[in-house]
Amino acid sequence: MEPRRHFASDNNAGIHPAVLEAIAAANVGHVRGYGDDPWTERARDAFRRHFGPAARAHVVFGGTGANVLSFAALLRPYEGVVCAASAHVAVDECGAPERFAGTKLLTVATEDGKLRPSDVEAKLHGLRDQHHVQPRMVSVSQTSELGTVYTPDELRDLARLCRARDLLLHVDGARIANAAAALGTSLGAIAGDCGVDVLSFGGTKNGLMGAEAVVFLAEGLGADFRFVRKQGMQLASKMRFLSAQLEALLGGDLWYENASRANAMARRLARAVERIPRVRLARAVEANAVFAILPRDAIAPLQQRSFFYVWDEDQSEVRWMTAWDTTEEDVDRFARDVAEVVGAAP
Amino acid sequence: MEPRRHFASDNNAGIHPAVLEAIAAANVGHVRGYGDDPWTERARDAFRRHFGPAARAHVVFGGTGANVLSFAALLRPYEGVVCAASAHVAVDECGAPERFAGTKLLTVATEDGKLRPSDVEAKLHGLRDQHHVQPRMVSVSQTSELGTVYTPDELRDLARLCRARDLLLHVDGARIANAAAALGTSLGAIAGDCGVDVLSFGGTKNGLMGAEAVVFLAEGLGADFRFVRKQGMQLASKMRFLSAQLEALLGGDLWYENASRANAMARRLARAVERIPRVRLARAVEANAVFAILPRDAIAPLQQRSFFYVWDEDQSEVRWMTAWDTTEEDVDRFARDVAEVVGAAP
Amino acid sequence: MEPRRHFASDNNAGIHPAVLEAIAAANVGHVRGYGDDPWTERARDAFRRHFGPAARAHVVFGGTGANVLSFAALLRPYEGVVCAASAHVAVDECGAPERFAGTKLLTVATEDGKLRPSDVEAKLHGLRDQHHVQPRMVSVSQTSELGTVYTPDELRDLARLCRARDLLLHVDGARIANAAAALGTSLGAIAGDCGVDVLSFGGTKNGLMGAEAVVFLAEGLGADFRFVRKQGMQLASKMRFLSAQLEALLGGDLWYENASRANAMARRLARAVERIPRVRLARAVEANAVFAILPRDAIAPLQQRSFFYVWDEDQSEVRWMTAWDTTEEDVDRFARDVAEVVGAAP
Amino acid sequence: MEPRRHFASDNNAGIHPAVLEAIAAANVGHVRGYGDDPWTERARDAFRRHFGPAARAHVVFGGTGANVLSFAALLRPYEGVVCAASAHVAVDECGAPERFAGTKLLTVATEDGKLRPSDVEAKLHGLRDQHHVQPRMVSVSQTSELGTVYTPDELRDLARLCRARDLLLHVDGARIANAAAALGTSLGAIAGDCGVDVLSFGGTKNGLMGAEAVVFLAEGLGADFRFVRKQGMQLASKMRFLSAQLEALLGGDLWYENASRANAMARRLARAVERIPRVRLARAVEANAVFAILPRDAIAPLQQRSFFYVWDEDQSEVRWMTAWDTTEEDVDRFARDVAEVVGAAP
């Protein structure tokens, strides 16, 4: 069977060959479970190289787990999280933050998926009033759910506000590699260097089979995290096979190569489709997401050729994601499909 | 490096080669995430072949998740679970059932890790009294944490009581394959055929990299499980790679071969060590666990040679587990180590 | 000391004398605890007279408890509640719904504190998608937090939508008596008769010392509520003294007299202050709340004379509530204070 | 109707007249809600006089709320509470600690309802092991559910162990007044003076209509309790009426008089029934509970005359509680009833 690639999501892609090799290479004999193994130690070292010597990374199964346990580890249940109304934690995690951590999300409508300091300030009321959830954390998605990227300056501005108002800054970094690649920075330059306190580090969307990490960056946070992780059902017994993936990603440049490739393919796709009549880019293409507005009648026939998701039914807006394995041929073929189908649409 | 194997736990073993191949074989192009893929469909089919056409299997990351979500799916938070005091859910899951599902565990001390109907009946008081948690489920571990195995008759007796008293029967089957292999039965013969309502199916300890499933066996249960799973942080995005493992295990006889091997090696180890003076088997060896009582001073030196866990400090009792990859040479070498170290102990 | 009354909140008022007498009258000898007493039985009867023979009322301590336990009793934790962004459950309960019931609130901005069917429909997306909290209940506040009242027709329209979309309809009736008095209807006419499924019945703000009830109106709901109530820390041991209050309120016309008085005093206050230059009524006065916009500099001096809360700092909007014990003299004196202070403001 | 008193429970008694008067006296005009009132301030002062100047008391509705919120305020959800298997929190609160606070209770079987340091030490294993709930608090009931009383020395021994092992000491003081009266000590002498960190202070069983308090005794604890209380659905809006009760109880000697009376009546009852043939006291009578073993056939006929609860069906053991309002005549009449019914039993 000829491998097929589409543009539905970066988590529809498979495993990068080097990651699969790393899993195989870790498959030697018996090692202690639950993270007391050399692969996990090396993965934690790799996080320290990227995020600074004080970074404490803890491997978890998935992104929802990483986000929810970041909250559960650092917040009391009456403390709230300010986030964008479009944030993954608010929209796509089936109420897991509320259920497990008791956390109320204090959401702000945004134009482009990105929170500004003024958005946060607008939620800082009812302070010290026992009837109100107390804002205690700001959570931003990097890249945002709308494919936009926070610059280091923007993060620093948020962190400055957080320090001033005794808030913690969390980054949902399911696609932090795409953000760093887009900005041309290191990973640390958009995390601890900017004053981020805790990071959900995403590997799965960037070429892993499945592994994420909660990374505590600020001092004094998360000392009891291993209990939170176990109680939160995110402790892998054969952890070496998750850690080996993260080591493969972060030990060299794979994180960057995968993310850069995905980003470049998104730009290529954007350039190709914006030339097609009746197709309009709905948002700036800053990382690996392309949002486009198509003639309504073109959507279903195009999905027949290659699966993707409609983002906003009312606006006839669709989302196309590129991945670490997207090729120029994939993009060009898909752009031709778009042109054909849109051209044929009534 | 020469691969090393020890006797600390079956989850210290690696991935069976056929399972790793299955992961690699699934690594082709893009497929939809979250279980809407052919590997997951085939894995679910495989569960139906083993557990009957009505079985509904849902893939999750880990065993704690499988157990806790079984409770969360089927119980109201004021309903309790009767289980052995030694049960994994009661002892080794850091309070995850209480935290996520609100479930109180109604524990019974047992001799051999196995619940009897009379143990359950002893907990059936306070019924309809609003001050008391209402017993609503019985959970048994197959094999038990003490390495013992429930026979089909024993399960049927429990199921009969459950039916009579409006209780659900859950099996924590982290090692259900070892139990079936020990009994010489099919998997279904110790699950739905006996009246089990819901099963935590364990693959990780039997040669997988990491994949488990919640399997609803009785009609009408678990219809909304996918929401429980997502809210419970157990939904894998690249699920095909978990499903492919389960398909590899259950598609043919691998589940049986792996478990039989582990069981046989435990029997071999038991036979070897029971001949050693001053070593005494503490419990019947029914599956892949060997509990032995050693001279206290022999434990640490022996752990130096090959890592394992002390089970009961006071009794000088240790636990040795065999795995799918344990060899006769491993056993014989370890038995020689035991003999030497015990022989040299004061 | 001369008793003082202000306009801060109807829960700043005391106990109606007849209610205090009822408490004293219940203070005879020993009776069984936890609701197994004649006062509770009579209170439940009174609820049946008002809300129909199928109504099942359960006494609880407070309004937050009533709301949260309504959710906990009827919703799975991944099911969400559509409500106004200004709803008490969303704003003033410190995240209790999220913490105890796991419930995500799906809030809608409203002009006047009232939800319309179209507001609800706007939240009915992501249905059957495992990533999204599933809308399952609509909660409206009667009267709303903005002092407005749902008419029977408006409730029926919501109930019709709820039936069509498999949603439950909850009324937070902390001030349902004020609503009924304002509309000139019975209590039942704006509850079960309109298709309301479950009601948080408020007594505390209408002259009780402290007692509320969760009232299940639709068939088949809440059968296990007494366990939910106990686990929810809302079961009073000496329940007769809460039930006696509710009986005093509902056994005759006290509920109506108290609420009518409060409503009439709000109308009187509204008429008086709208004649004062530079004072503007911010909203329609439909029950016992008056929202007014004052010169900013008048607020603090006026609060010195008589305590009340600022509703919206930015708009210079204040809230004045009348209670069952507010007198015409209270109103007239306060209106004179307003006139004086506003007149003197720069 | 002639008031009737029985021996089922001290919470079956009514309100002491002085407490009812205090409620009536607080019924003057409007005061701010939620505890910002003079009665609450005076009640908090009274707690400071009894429990030391550093005591911070917070009024709550009920005893289950007080216990659960003590846990929620001071424990992380993976931290456990060591308590007697017979403790109210373990047996009679319908899983509220597990549900709201996530807390696992680590129960110890006891002879007399009282925990000893060695009982606690037996539960201090699995420390720092991420698979195990971490013991972090010891909770004792004063008086115990078996009517026994901890002496100051016994409490100090527990507190010493707690300090040494970094555990907090909680007292469920639903009947702490009975304990102090039995010991002839002040309330503080069996709380903060012994090293108790946090106390659930019970008023309801000692003559109040319904009011309890969480009292933080050790420094630095509970600073954020008002949020925990509101989120825990235990914040009374008209708090003055709860506080006035506590003030009436603690402002003078009422707490002591009520408790002493109840204790004396229990001793009188014990003396009377132990002389009856075929009646045997099952336990020492140290406070206001009498446990007796009767001929099995006498129980139901005796309950017909005067309601009480069977404690242990198998042992034919019943529990009789005296209350603040039990009279000598009540005791003597009931003892005659016992003699008659037992005498007539086959």
Side-chain angles (χ1 to χ4, degrees):
Chain A
M1 184 182 86
E2 170 74 7
R4 291 290 310 274
R5 282 179 296 274
H6 51 233
F7 292 82
S9 175
D10 35 9
N11 69 28
N12 286 10
I15 313 170
H16 188 279
V19 173
L20 195 51
E21 275 169 38
I23 292 173
N27 195 28
V28 284
H30 285 209
V31 304
R32 296 196 192 186
Y34 306 110
D36 189 10
D37 67 76
W39 290 267
T40 301
E41 196 42 53
R42 288 197 303 269
R44 291 169 64 92
D45 282 344
F47 276 101
R48 280 188 284 268
R49 284 197 302 277
H50 285 283
F51 292 99
R56 288 89 62 206
H58 301 270
V59 179
V60 295
F61 288 124
T64 296
N67 287 334
V68 172
L69 297 194
S70 294
F71 300 168
L74 300 182
L75 302 178
R76 299 273 288 147
Y78 58 80
E79 294 178 328
V81 173
V82 180
C83 63
S86 56
H88 199 267
V89 291
V91 175
D92 290 308
E93 298 185 349
C94 200
E98 290 87 350
R99 171 75 180 276
F100 186 77
T103 309
K104 192 181 189 75
L105 304 175
L106 306 165
T107 58
V108 188
T110 65
E111 192 68 27
D112 60 356
K114 287 164 61 177
L115 275 186
R116 269 74 185 186
S118 59
D119 297 322
V120 175
E121 278 170 335
K123 303 305 270 189
L124 301 182
H125 48 68
L127 303 183
R128 283 177 294 281
D129 178 336
Q130 64 190 334
H131 294 84
H132 299 305
V133 164
Q134 299 294 296
R136 176 71 176 121
M137 185 182 268
V138 172
S139 177
V140 299
S141 302
Q142 178 75 305
T143 68
S144 83
E145 285 72 18
L146 298 182
T148 48
V149 175
Y150 288 87
T151 65
D153 278 349
E154 289 172 329
L155 289 171
R156 261 190 291 268
D157 285 349
L158 284 166
R160 196 173 300 120
L161 174 65
C162 287
R163 287 304 159 270
R165 303 301 299 267
D166 197 25
L167 302 167
L168 296 164
L169 182 55
H170 168 255
V171 169
D172 175 356
R175 295 187 180 99
I176 191 173
N178 298 92
L183 294 163
T185 69
S186 68
L187 290 167
I190 51 173
D193 295 0
C194 293
V196 173
D197 293 300
V198 59
L199 166 70
S200 297
F201 178 85
T204 310
K205 288 185 164 79
N206 197 28
L208 303 194
M209 171 176 154
E212 316 268 320
V214 174
V215 191
F216 295 101
L217 298 166
E219 267 185 58
L221 301 182
D224 64 353
F225 188 75
R226 57 208 172 118
F227 298 104
V228 176
R229 179 174 61 182
K230 177 62 190 175
Q231 200 179 36
M233 305 175 279
Q234 291 289 317
L235 178 64
S237 58
K238 296 185 175 177
M239 194 184 289
R240 60 171 144 163
F241 298 113
L242 277 68
S243 300
Q245 297 176 56
L246 289 160
E247 191 194 358
L249 192 70
L250 292 173
D253 289 333
L254 188 62
W255 69 272
Y256 178 79
E257 290 165 14
N258 283 354
S260 299
R261 160 77 80 98
N263 291 355
M265 292 303 100
R267 287 194 303 274
R268 185 182 184 93
L269 178 60
R271 280 194 307 269
V273 297
E274 70 183 344
R275 289 191 296 252
I276 301 174
R278 301 163 69 204
V279 173
R280 186 162 63 77
L281 293 183
R283 303 166 192 281
V285 175
E286 298 182 15
N288 68 322
V290 176
F291 291 85
I293 294 176
L294 307 187
R296 197 170 302 273
D297 292 338
I299 293 176
L302 188 57
Q303 283 174 318
Q304 288 296 101
R305 296 199 182 188
S306 187
F307 179 64
F308 58 85
Y309 293 98
V310 175
W311 185 255
D312 183 331
E313 196 87 46
D314 294 339
Q315 302 299 316
S316 192
E317 179 179 352
V318 302
R319 187 191 74 166
W320 298 322
M321 302 291 302
T322 53
W324 66 269
D325 62 349
T326 306
T327 63
E328 299 189 352
E329 293 71 38
D330 293 335
V331 169
D332 298 346
R333 189 189 61 233
F334 183 64
R336 282 194 305 272
D337 283 348
V338 175
E340 278 180 32
V341 171
V342 168
Chain B
M1 186 183 87
E2 170 75 7
R4 290 291 311 274
R5 283 179 296 274
H6 52 233
F7 293 81
S9 175
D10 35 9
N11 69 27
N12 286 10
I15 313 170
H16 189 280
V19 173
L20 195 52
E21 274 169 38
I23 292 173
N27 195 28
V28 283
H30 284 208
V31 304
R32 297 196 192 187
Y34 306 110
D36 189 9
D37 67 76
W39 289 267
T40 301
E41 197 40 53
R42 287 197 302 269
R44 292 170 63 93
D45 281 344
F47 275 101
R48 281 189 283 266
R49 284 197 303 277
H50 285 284
F51 293 99
R56 288 89 63 207
H58 301 270
V59 180
V60 296
F61 288 125
T64 295
N67 287 334
V68 173
L69 298 194
S70 294
F71 300 168
L74 300 181
L75 302 178
R76 300 272 289 146
Y78 58 80
E79 293 178 329
V81 173
V82 180
C83 63
S86 56
H88 199 267
V89 291
V91 176
D92 290 308
E93 298 185 347
C94 201
E98 290 86 351
R99 171 75 181 276
F100 186 77
T103 309
K104 193 181 190 75
L105 303 176
L106 307 165
T107 58
V108 188
T110 65
E111 192 68 26
D112 60 355
K114 287 164 60 178
L115 276 186
R116 269 74 186 185
S118 59
D119 297 322
V120 175
E121 279 170 335
K123 303 305 270 188
L124 301 183
H125 47 69
L127 303 183
R128 283 176 294 282
D129 178 336
Q130 65 191 335
H131 294 84
H132 299 306
V133 164
Q134 299 294 296
R136 176 72 176 119
M137 185 182 268
V138 172
S139 177
V140 299
S141 303
Q142 178 76 305
T143 68
S144 84
E145 285 71 19
L146 299 181
T148 48
V149 175
Y150 288 87
T151 66
D153 278 349
E154 289 172 328
L155 289 171
R156 262 188 291 267
D157 286 350
L158 284 166
R160 196 171 302 120
L161 174 65
C162 287
R163 287 303 159 271
R165 303 301 299 268
D166 198 25
L167 302 167
L168 296 164
L169 182 55
H170 169 254
V171 169
D172 174 355
R175 295 185 182 100
I176 192 173
N178 298 91
L183 294 163
T185 68
S186 69
L187 291 166
I190 52 172
D193 294 0
C194 293
V196 173
D197 293 299
V198 59
L199 166 70
S200 297
F201 178 86
T204 310
K205 289 184 163 80
N206 197 28
L208 303 194
M209 172 177 153
E212 316 268 319
V214 174
V215 191
F216 295 101
L217 298 165
E219 267 184 59
L221 301 181
D224 64 352
F225 188 75
R226 58 208 171 119
F227 298 105
V228 176
R229 179 173 61 180
K230 177 62 190 176
Q231 200 180 38
M233 304 174 280
Q234 291 289 317
L235 177 65
S237 58
K238 297 185 175 178
M239 195 185 287
R240 60 171 145 163
F241 298 113
L242 277 67
S243 300
Q245 298 176 56
L246 289 161
E247 190 194 357
L249 192 70
L250 292 173
D253 289 335
L254 188 61
W255 69 272
Y256 178 79
E257 290 164 14
N258 282 355
S260 300
R261 160 76 79 97
N263 291 355
M265 292 304 100
R267 288 194 303 272
R268 185 181 184 94
L269 178 61
R271 279 195 308 269
V273 298
E274 71 184 343
R275 289 192 295 253
I276 302 173
R278 300 163 71 204
V279 174
R280 186 162 62 77
L281 293 182
R283 303 166 192 281
V285 175
E286 298 183 17
N288 68 323
V290 176
F291 291 84
I293 295 176
L294 306 188
R296 197 170 303 273
D297 293 338
I299 292 175
L302 187 57
Q303 283 175 317
Q304 287 296 101
R305 296 198 183 190
S306 188
F307 180 64
F308 57 85
Y309 293 98
V310 176
W311 185 255
D312 183 330
E313 195 87 47
D314 294 339
Q315 303 299 317
S316 192
E317 180 180 350
V318 302
R319 187 191 74 166
W320 298 322
M321 303 291 301
T322 53
W324 66 268
D325 62 348
T326 306
T327 63
E328 299 190 352
E329 294 70 38
D330 293 335
V331 169
D332 297 347
R333 190 187 61 232
F334 183 64
R336 281 195 302 273
D337 283 349
V338 175
E340 277 180 34
V341 171
V342 168
Chain C
M1 185 181 87
E2 170 74 6
R4 290 291 310 275
R5 284 179 294 275
H6 51 232
F7 293 82
S9 175
D10 35 8
N11 69 27
N12 286 11
I15 312 170
H16 189 279
V19 173
L20 195 51
E21 274 168 40
I23 293 173
N27 195 27
V28 284
H30 285 208
V31 305
R32 297 196 193 187
Y34 306 111
D36 190 8
D37 67 76
W39 290 267
T40 301
E41 196 41 53
R42 288 198 301 269
R44 292 170 64 93
D45 280 344
F47 275 101
R48 280 188 285 267
R49 285 198 301 277
H50 285 283
F51 293 100
R56 287 90 61 206
H58 301 270
V59 180
V60 296
F61 288 123
T64 297
N67 287 333
V68 173
L69 298 194
S70 294
F71 300 168
L74 301 182
L75 302 178
R76 301 272 289 148
Y78 59 79
E79 293 178 329
V81 173
V82 180
C83 63
S86 55
H88 199 266
V89 291
V91 175
D92 290 308
E93 299 185 347
C94 201
E98 290 86 351
R99 171 75 180 278
F100 185 76
T103 307
K104 192 181 190 77
L105 303 175
L106 307 165
T107 58
V108 188
T110 65
E111 192 68 26
D112 60 356
K114 287 165 60 179
L115 274 186
R116 269 75 186 185
S118 59
D119 297 322
V120 175
E121 278 170 334
K123 303 304 270 189
L124 301 183
H125 48 69
L127 303 183
R128 283 178 293 282
D129 178 337
Q130 64 190 334
H131 294 85
H132 300 305
V133 164
Q134 299 294 295
R136 175 73 177 119
M137 185 182 269
V138 172
S139 178
V140 299
S141 302
Q142 177 76 305
T143 67
S144 83
E145 285 70 21
L146 298 181
T148 48
V149 175
Y150 288 86
T151 66
D153 278 350
E154 289 172 328
L155 289 171
R156 262 190 290 267
D157 285 350
L158 284 166
R160 195 173 302 119
L161 174 65
C162 287
R163 288 301 160 271
R165 304 300 298 268
D166 198 24
L167 303 167
L168 296 164
L169 182 56
H170 168 255
V171 169
D172 175 355
R175 295 187 181 98
I176 190 172
N178 298 91
L183 294 163
T185 69
S186 69
L187 291 166
I190 52 172
D193 295 359
C194 293
V196 173
D197 294 298
V198 60
L199 167 69
S200 297
F201 178 86
T204 310
K205 289 184 163 80
N206 197 27
L208 302 193
M209 172 177 154
E212 315 268 321
V214 173
V215 191
F216 294 101
L217 298 166
E219 266 184 60
L221 301 182
D224 64 352
F225 188 75
R226 58 206 172 120
F227 298 105
V228 176
R229 179 174 60 181
K230 177 62 189 175
Q231 200 179 37
M233 304 175 278
Q234 291 289 316
L235 178 64
S237 59
K238 297 185 175 177
M239 195 185 286
R240 60 170 143 163
F241 298 113
L242 278 68
S243 300
Q245 298 177 56
L246 289 161
E247 191 195 356
L249 192 71
L250 293 173
D253 289 335
L254 188 62
W255 69 272
Y256 178 79
E257 290 165 14
N258 281 355
S260 299
R261 160 76 79 97
N263 290 354
M265 292 304 99
R267 286 193 303 273
R268 185 181 184 94
L269 179 60
R271 280 194 308 269
V273 298
E274 71 184 345
R275 289 192 295 255
I276 302 173
R278 299 163 71 202
V279 173
R280 186 161 63 77
L281 293 183
R283 303 166 192 282
V285 175
E286 298 183 15
N288 68 324
V290 175
F291 291 85
I293 295 177
L294 306 187
R296 195 170 304 274
D297 292 338
I299 292 176
L302 187 58
Q303 283 174 318
Q304 288 297 101
R305 297 199 182 189
S306 188
F307 180 64
F308 58 84
Y309 293 98
V310 175
W311 185 255
D312 183 332
E313 196 87 47
D314 295 340
Q315 303 298 316
S316 192
E317 180 179 352
V318 302
R319 186 191 74 166
W320 297 322
M321 303 291 301
T322 54
W324 66 269
D325 62 349
T326 306
T327 63
E328 299 189 353
E329 293 71 39
D330 294 335
V331 169
D332 298 347
R333 190 187 62 233
F334 183 64
R336 280 194 304 274
D337 284 348
V338 174
E340 277 179 34
V341 171
V342 168
Chain D
M1 184 180 89
E2 171 74 5
R4 291 291 311 276
R5 283 179 294 275
H6 52 233
F7 293 81
S9 176
D10 35 8
N11 68 28
N12 287 9
I15 313 170
H16 188 279
V19 173
L20 195 51
E21 274 169 40
I23 292 173
N27 195 27
V28 284
H30 285 209
V31 305
R32 298 196 192 186
Y34 307 111
D36 189 9
D37 67 77
W39 289 267
T40 301
E41 195 42 51
R42 288 196 302 269
R44 291 169 65 92
D45 281 344
F47 276 101
R48 279 188 284 267
R49 285 196 303 276
H50 285 284
F51 292 100
R56 286 91 61 207
H58 301 270
V59 180
V60 297
F61 288 123
T64 296
N67 288 333
V68 173
L69 298 194
S70 294
F71 300 168
L74 300 182
L75 303 178
R76 299 273 289 148
Y78 58 79
E79 293 178 330
V81 172
V82 180
C83 64
S86 55
H88 199 266
V89 291
V91 175
D92 290 308
E93 298 185 348
C94 201
E98 290 86 351
R99 172 76 180 277
F100 185 76
T103 308
K104 193 181 189 77
L105 303 175
L106 307 166
T107 59
V108 188
T110 65
E111 192 67 27
D112 59 357
K114 287 165 59 180
L115 275 186
R116 269 74 186 186
S118 59
D119 297 322
V120 175
E121 278 171 334
K123 302 306 268 189
L124 301 183
H125 47 70
L127 304 182
R128 283 177 294 280
D129 179 336
Q130 65 191 335
H131 294 84
H132 299 306
V133 164
Q134 299 294 295
R136 175 72 176 120
M137 185 182 269
V138 172
S139 177
V140 299
S141 302
Q142 177 77 305
T143 67
S144 83
E145 284 72 19
L146 299 181
T148 48
V149 175
Y150 288 87
T151 66
D153 279 349
E154 289 172 329
L155 289 171
R156 262 189 289 268
D157 285 350
L158 284 166
R160 197 173 300 120
L161 174 65
C162 287
R163 287 303 160 271
R165 304 300 298 268
D166 197 24
L167 302 167
L168 297 164
L169 182 56
H170 168 255
V171 169
D172 175 355
R175 295 186 181 99
I176 191 173
N178 299 91
L183 294 163
T185 69
S186 69
L187 290 166
I190 52 171
D193 294 0
C194 293
V196 173
D197 293 299
V198 60
L199 167 69
S200 297
F201 178 85
T204 309
K205 289 184 163 81
N206 197 27
L208 304 193
M209 173 178 153
E212 316 268 319
V214 174
V215 191
F216 295 100
L217 298 166
E219 266 185 59
L221 301 182
D224 63 352
F225 188 75
R226 59 207 170 119
F227 298 105
V228 176
R229 179 174 60 182
K230 176 63 190 175
Q231 199 180 38
M233 305 175 279
Q234 291 289 316
L235 177 64
S237 58
K238 296 185 175 178
M239 196 185 287
R240 60 171 144 162
F241 298 113
L242 278 66
S243 300
Q245 298 177 55
L246 289 161
E247 190 194 357
L249 191 71
L250 292 174
D253 288 334
L254 188 61
W255 70 272
Y256 178 78
E257 290 165 15
N258 282 354
S260 298
R261 160 76 78 99
N263 290 355
M265 291 304 99
R267 286 194 303 271
R268 185 181 184 95
L269 178 61
R271 280 194 309 268
V273 298
E274 72 185 342
R275 290 193 296 253
I276 301 173
R278 300 163 70 204
V279 173
R280 186 162 62 78
L281 293 182
R283 303 165 192 281
V285 174
E286 298 183 16
N288 68 324
V290 176
F291 291 84
I293 295 176
L294 304 188
R296 195 171 304 275
D297 292 338
I299 292 176
L302 188 57
Q303 285 174 317
Q304 289 296 101
R305 297 199 183 189
S306 187
F307 180 63
F308 58 84
Y309 293 97
V310 176
W311 186 255
D312 183 330
E313 195 88 47
D314 294 340
Q315 302 298 317
S316 191
E317 180 180 353
V318 303
R319 187 192 72 166
W320 299 322
M321 302 291 301
T322 53
W324 66 269
D325 62 349
T326 305
T327 64
E328 298 190 353
E329 294 70 39
D330 293 335
V331 169
D332 297 347
R333 192 188 58 234
F334 183 64
R336 281 196 303 273
D337 283 349
V338 174
E340 278 180 32
V341 171
V342 168

